[in-house]
Amino acid sequence: EAQVTQNPRYLITVTGKKLTVTCSQNMNHEYMSWYRQDPGLGLRQIYYSMNVEVTDKGDVPEGYKVSRKEKRNFPLILESPSPNQTSLYFCASTEGPGGISPLHFGNGTRLTVT
Amino acid sequence: GQQVMQIPQYQHVQEGEDFTTYCNSSTTLSNIQWYKQRPGGHPVFLIQLVKSGEVKKQKRLTFQFGEAKKNSSLHITATQTTDVGTYFCAVRMDSSYKLIFGSGTRLLVRP
């Protein structure tokens, strides 16, 4: 089954404790991205990757890092989480460049930073 | 910056009533996608519109792209409780490979 798998689904952590949210897709998509969803703000892009070792900032990259060492994986790293990063996070992959092909989303990770 | 306005923010309807959400941009769009997110779920792609004036239908859902390619609408005829969720538009501006999401319209349906 074609899917985007995110882990964990829920995460509660404390300020400053490094964390990683994993994302994996089995569709051989080149393009992957991370979004955060906050009430009234829709989905905002954090980072995206057009291929292995090619990543770029989205609209709200501050406080986040990503890596793309393999085509299927695109982890999101919070080196020093802060309470304003409490949010619902989605990983997505797509066949072609952003905005041309449909996005396939993971199930989401609800992060709480206290 | 580039923005897309989506209205209304919320809509609460009686089952059987119609529902429409609108997506508006001040900039000409290359294409627009629509997504549905069920409560507690993730966004799921519904459709993509590319051509000026394009109209597409999926059962009770009708999607329209404006003639000037600056706005779009999603209309649901005779809503059902299964239609509950948040509907997002996502737009791509000309000369861009970036999708910008609207803030979404949350639809609630009274049985």
Side-chain angles (χ1 to χ4, degrees):
Chain A
E1 180 190 351
Q3 59 185 2
V4 178
T5 303
Q6 267 181 257
N7 281 297
R9 287 295 305 274
Y10 301 92
L11 182 55
I12 301 174
T13 191
V14 296
T15 298
K17 187 175 181 182
K18 181 180 178 179
L19 66 91
T20 300
V21 184
T22 63
C23 175
S24 180
Q25 52 95 3
N26 63 0
M27 294 169 280
N28 202 35
H29 287 167
E30 290 187 347
Y31 191 94
M32 298 183 73
S33 52
W34 277 101
Y35 293 85
R36 61 176 288 173
Q37 183 176 19
D38 301 289
L41 296 177
L43 291 122
R44 294 180 292 167
Q45 192 181 62
I46 302 170
Y47 266 95
Y48 65 95
S49 170
M50 289 173 284
N51 213 327
V52 175
E53 302 293 359
V54 182
T55 64
D56 207 348
K57 297 177 181 179
D59 295 317
V60 288
E62 294 76 23
Y64 305 95
K65 282 176 55 177
V66 293
S67 71
R68 188 92 181 272
K69 293 185 171 58
E70 306 164 284
K71 197 171 188 177
R72 64 183 293 130
N73 295 324
F74 190 45
L76 179 69
I77 303 152
L78 284 72
E79 294 270 4
S80 183
S82 61
N84 65 12
Q85 292 177 300
T86 293
S87 187
L88 178 58
Y89 291 86
F90 289 102
C91 178
S93 74
T94 184
E95 191 173 16
I100 293 180
S101 303
L103 287 170
H104 300 261
F105 285 90
N107 286 332
T109 297
R110 187 167 291 281
L111 172 65
T112 302
V113 184
T114 61
Chain B
Q2 299 167 340
Q3 283 194 342
V4 55
M5 298 295 295
Q6 193 174 349
I7 55 171
Q9 192 173 5
Y10 299 97
Q11 185 108 38
H12 201 173
V13 301
Q14 185 72 40
E15 188 172 22
E17 290 181 338
D18 292 356
F19 159 78
T20 305
T21 174
Y22 300 90
C23 191
N24 300 307
S25 170
S26 57
T27 308
T28 303
L29 305 172
S30 289
N31 57 282
I32 185 166
Q33 298 176 355
W34 285 93
Y35 291 81
K36 176 184 178 181
Q37 183 178 20
R38 294 183 187 275
H42 59 276
V44 175
F45 174 78
L46 293 176
I47 210 154
Q48 175 164 274
L49 305 171
V50 179
K51 298 177 184 175
S52 166
E54 190 170 13
V55 178
K56 288 188 176 180
K57 294 192 176 186
Q58 289 179 350
K59 297 182 181 178
R60 294 177 295 103
L61 277 61
T62 302
F63 304 84
Q64 199 159 359
F65 204 3
E67 293 289 343
K69 297 185 72 174
K70 289 186 176 181
N71 54 70
S72 179
S73 64
L74 157 58
H75 179 83
I76 303 178
T77 304
T79 55
Q80 300 175 358
T81 54
T82 53
D83 295 324
V84 163
T86 301
Y87 293 84
F88 292 98
C89 63
V91 304
R92 185 170 74 93
M93 311 286 181
D94 283 343
S95 306
S96 167
Y97 286 116
K98 186 175 170 181
L99 263 184
I100 299 170
F101 280 81
S103 54
T105 295
R106 185 178 174 193
L107 172 63
L108 302 170
V109 180
R110 288 189 297 269

